[in-house]
């Protein structure tokens, strides 16, 4: 994990956000706790230390932590949580239609499967081979294993893009 300066302005002056702001310290499976920091110069909130993505980092062992726990984040019980249903409704409100949806970081495919059942034309992208296989196996989703930088999607081809627990 890398300790970082503010992504926006480069400042090293920040404060850790805690319970009083409703933002808690996060934990990545197998790593130390990370904190949500707020830059005192520009106000950007970001995580530090930041994960270094390693080959195979987001495979079965990573997801096991979520699938054995509450599993609401990745759908270990394969039931769509209410907050994800609401998120899709908000996306529909702002896009004005049920069109083409790209999900980056598909987890087990739960959200993408729900969006498809609600009439969206869905596309998924994840760097985890395990996640892609699970989404294909469980929901029959056609997803791409790779990074956004390596994708060949045409410009402006999606009506909505969804990411959940990806940016951190």
């Amino acid at each position: 994990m890398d300790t970082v300066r503010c992504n926006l302005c480069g400042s090293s002056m920040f404060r850790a956000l805690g319970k009083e702001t409703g933002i808690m310290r996060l934990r990545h499976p197998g790593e130390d706790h990370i904190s949500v920091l707020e830059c005192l110069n520009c106000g950007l909130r970001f995580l530090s230390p930041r994960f270094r993505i390693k080959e195979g980092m987001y495979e079965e062992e990573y997801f096991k932590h979520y699938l054995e726990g509450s599993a609401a984040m990745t759908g270990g019980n394969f039931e769509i949580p209410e907050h994800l249903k609401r998120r899709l409704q908000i996306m529909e409100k702002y896009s004005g239609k049920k069109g083409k949806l790209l999900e980056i970081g598909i987890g087990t495919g739960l959200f993408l499967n729900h969006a498809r059942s609600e009439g969206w034309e869905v596309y998924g992208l994840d760097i985890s081979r395990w996640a892609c296989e699970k989404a294909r196996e469980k929901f029959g989703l056609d997803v791409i294993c790779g990074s956004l930088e390596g994708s060949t999607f045409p410009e402006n081809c999606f009506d909505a893009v969804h990411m959940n627990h990806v940016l951190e």
Side-chain angles (χ1 to χ4, degrees):
M1 301 215 309
D2 292 323
T3 302
V4 296
R5 292 175 170 256
C6 175
N7 303 53
L8 187 59
C9 73
S11 173
S12 60
M13 301 295 294
F14 48 82
R15 71 180 181 106
L17 300 177
K19 292 180 183 179
E20 72 280 359
T21 61
I23 299 174
M24 305 297 290
R25 288 169 54 90
L26 305 171
R27 188 176 191 312
H28 189 276
E31 301 284 355
D32 294 328
H33 285 278
I34 58 174
S35 296
V36 178
L37 305 178
E38 181 175 55
C39 177
L40 296 177
N41 185 51
C42 71
L44 179 72
R45 292 180 176 182
F46 60 97
L47 300 182
S48 184
R50 183 178 297 150
F51 305 122
R52 279 188 220 131
I53 297 177
K54 299 174 256 181
E55 182 70 31
M57 181 176 182
Y58 293 108
E59 299 307 324
E60 185 174 7
E61 190 61 32
Y62 168 81
F63 288 98
K64 188 183 295 184
H65 169 77
Y66 297 110
L67 295 172
E68 291 174 352
S70 69
M73 231 164 40
T74 57
N77 58 11
F78 297 105
E79 293 177 18
I80 187 81
E82 288 301 315
H83 74 277
L84 290 179
K85 287 180 182 178
R86 283 190 307 275
R87 192 174 292 170
L88 185 63
Q89 292 168 348
I90 292 167
M91 291 170 71
E92 290 172 2
K93 175 183 173 183
Y94 287 104
S95 70
K97 62 180 178 178
K98 294 181 181 183
K100 291 183 179 181
L101 168 67
L102 171 65
E103 182 172 33
I104 301 171
I106 63 168
T108 57
L110 187 68
F111 180 81
L112 212 53
N113 182 61
H114 174 66
R116 181 177 61 185
S117 74
E118 292 294 315
W120 287 82
E121 182 180 339
V122 298
Y123 299 84
L125 180 67
D126 203 296
I127 61 172
S128 169
R129 288 181 303 277
W130 185 88
C132 291
E133 288 171 15
K134 185 59 85 175
R136 289 178 189 125
E137 171 190 302
K138 184 69 181 170
F139 300 116
L141 293 167
D142 185 16
V143 296
I144 297 170
C145 188
S147 67
L148 183 59
E149 296 85 3
S151 69
T152 57
F153 298 118
E155 284 189 35
N156 302 315
C157 68
F158 296 106
D159 299 296
V161 177
H162 178 258
M163 294 186 289
N164 188 44
H165 293 280
V166 170
L167 296 179
E168 64 270 18

